[in-house]
Amino acid sequence: MGFRTLDGVDVAGKRVLVRVDFNAPLADGEVTDDTRLAAALPTIRRLRAGGAKTILISHFDRPKGRRVPSMSLAPVVAPLAKLLGAPVAFAEDCVGETARSAAAALRPGDVLLLENLRFHAGEEADDPAFAKELAQNGDLYVDDAFSAAHRAHASNDALAHLLPAYAGEAMRRELAALDAALGSPKRPVLGIVGGSKVSTKLDLLHNLILKLDQLAIGGGMANTFLFAQGWEVGASYCEKELAETARGVMAFAAARHCELLLPIDIVVAERPTPGAAARLRELGELDDHERILDAGPKTVERLCKAMDEAATLIWNGPLGVFEAPPFDKGTVAAARHAASLAKAGKLVAVAGGGDTVAALHAAGVAGDFSFVSTAGGAFLEWMEGKTLPGVEALER
């Protein structure tokens, strides 16, 4: 791979600064979802087994350079120690004498978590001076926070240029999965892009068209493309002012030999509320007061057939208003079909983005996909073909 890993690196007795993402949800001062904590365990365990002194650094929320007690990382310590099965020390600052003393007290195999990086304005400013203060507590640097890799911040950009820098195990797995999806994928490659707005995904669509063999468009985005083709969309969400842009995307896809798969039948209702009466319609059949809220069964069947013929699938965005059943049927059916193919080893299926992850969990199949990224913005920017500072810093 094109980035440095810990393979073959002697960490015994070394202070290893590990950038993690512990921006976990809290309620009444307690972590309510430890997914991000658990994601860091393989790296922490590997470092402990190698005799490293592991020093974890992370942001939490948006204190904007001020010390905000409710945004302290202290509540993370107990659940992390429980998951790890070992003590985790905590320092009430990430730089200065407090951090230096805590780091100096570590023995090989110990783990220390430093306080919220964003309590210092230098973090988000990618300030070299702040990065140098962080670097004083480490001999090596490991980035295990792909979810923050799209931000050029001191802890994942400037710091990575001051110490020998490596990808952690979670970062390695994420980058390997993304490379398998778009970098050097098995072909044919099918993409699914959903969500509401074309305007926010133009860069994404253009980059994917350059890399995919087929691209299925769903959700509210599809309404704009249908309108651009001359179909009536009733009261559906639709960026009608982008009709010409949509036609340009279709022409670009045709020129690049990327087949666009748009809905061929639709599910409509008057309002996107749970339990609303859903009606199946052919294109152009809906009444003025009806809204397109999901892909129809023929559309889903065609999409599943495309999955059968594909070797790789990359998915971002639901096909309909999945939060309001029965308008989740299209997304659930497609997700379950993709998961069954992935589980059988017939399809490399990679998905990411907040709504996508929620939809796959709702369908009960997130664990059966080849890889599901929880990185959000970083995943989207990577799909758009943008350079991620936190990844670039780890390149060989």
Side-chain angles (χ1 to χ4, degrees):
M1 291 187 180
F3 53 90
R4 296 182 295 273
T5 70
L6 287 167
D7 291 350
V9 178
D10 182 9
V11 298
K14 302 285 180 62
R15 299 169 302 162
V16 183
L17 282 169
V18 185
R19 177 53 161 106
V20 292
D21 182 358
F22 285 170
N23 193 28
L26 290 182
D28 299 322
E30 294 189 1
V31 174
T32 57
D33 184 345
D34 62 9
T35 301
R36 290 186 170 180
L37 279 60
L41 293 179
T43 295
I44 298 172
R45 286 173 175 153
R46 175 171 184 163
L47 291 172
R48 291 188 73 227
K53 302 172 183 179
T54 304
I55 304 170
L56 308 173
I57 54 175
S58 177
H59 71 285
F60 186 84
D61 213 328
R62 299 177 182 274
K64 298 182 178 179
R66 297 177 295 112
R67 183 171 287 273
V68 180
S70 63
M71 297 180 189
S72 171
L73 277 167
V76 169
V77 175
L80 176 62
K82 184 178 180 180
L83 287 170
L84 187 60
V88 175
F90 181 68
E92 294 182 351
D93 205 346
C94 59
V95 291
E97 181 56 34
T98 300
R100 284 195 295 273
S101 297
L106 294 177
R107 296 170 300 178
D110 285 352
V111 179
L112 167 67
L113 173 64
L114 303 183
E115 183 57 283
N116 193 347
L117 293 161
R118 290 184 181 175
F119 281 180
H120 297 266
E123 163 64 0
E124 293 188 84
D126 199 10
D127 180 13
F130 179 64
K132 285 181 181 178
E133 286 193 80
L134 290 172
Q136 289 177 8
N137 297 314
D139 303 303
L140 305 176
Y141 170 79
V142 171
D143 193 344
D144 215 24
F146 179 79
S147 53
H150 58 312
R151 308 295 188 200
H153 289 173
S155 64
N156 68 346
D157 184 27
L159 177 59
H161 296 284
L162 297 176
L163 297 172
Y166 307 92
E169 297 304 294
M171 175 74 86
R172 178 212 293 258
R173 183 166 178 257
E174 185 102 30
L175 294 177
L178 300 185
D179 183 66
L182 282 187
S184 51
K186 296 178 180 178
R187 292 194 172 275
V189 188
L190 167 67
I192 300 175
V193 175
S196 58
K197 294 184 177 182
V198 174
S199 55
T200 61
K201 294 194 174 181
L202 284 173
D203 289 345
L204 172 63
L205 292 174
H206 279 95
N207 188 54
L208 289 182
I209 285 169
L210 293 172
K211 298 176 180 292
L212 302 177
D213 298 294
Q214 290 181 304
L215 173 58
I217 297 177
M221 293 177 61
N223 301 337
T224 301
F225 281 88
L226 293 176
F227 178 78
Q229 289 182 321
W231 297 107
E232 290 298 327
V233 294
S236 307
Y237 179 84
C238 179
E239 293 176 294
K240 294 182 179 180
E241 71 280 6
L242 290 182
E244 189 59 38
T245 300
R247 284 190 283 270
V249 171
M250 289 187 276
F252 182 61
R256 302 295 304 192
H257 306 290
C258 175
E259 182 185 7
L260 286 189
L261 302 178
L262 295 171
I264 52 178
D265 62 340
I266 50 180
V267 175
V268 307
E270 295 179 7
R271 289 178 300 278
T273 53
R279 309 173 188 95
L280 180 61
R281 295 277 193 268
E282 297 296 320
L283 294 182
E285 283 187 350
L286 74 171
D287 297 332
D288 290 343
H289 63 283
E290 291 179 323
R291 304 180 187 189
I292 303 171
L293 299 175
D294 197 10
K298 288 193 290 188
T299 299
V300 175
E301 182 181 1
R302 184 184 61 170
L303 181 55
C304 290
K305 183 179 179 182
M307 292 181 199
D308 292 339
E309 297 171 353
T312 304
L313 168 69
I314 184 161
W315 189 340
N316 174 254
L319 302 180
V321 187
F322 78 96
E323 308 95 326
F327 310 111
D328 60 341
K329 287 185 177 179
T331 301
V332 168
R336 288 178 176 168
H337 190 76
S340 67
L341 291 171
K343 196 172 182 180
K346 298 178 180 178
L347 181 71
V348 175
V350 175
D355 286 347
T356 315
V357 175
L360 297 184
H361 279 293
V365 297
D368 292 332
F369 267 58
S370 308
F371 185 77
V372 177
S373 172
T374 58
F379 179 82
L380 209 57
E381 290 197 18
W382 171 82
M383 285 183 69
E384 290 170 354
K386 295 180 179 177
T387 298
L388 307 185
V391 174
E392 187 178 31
L394 303 175
E395 291 177 353
R396 294 187 186 277

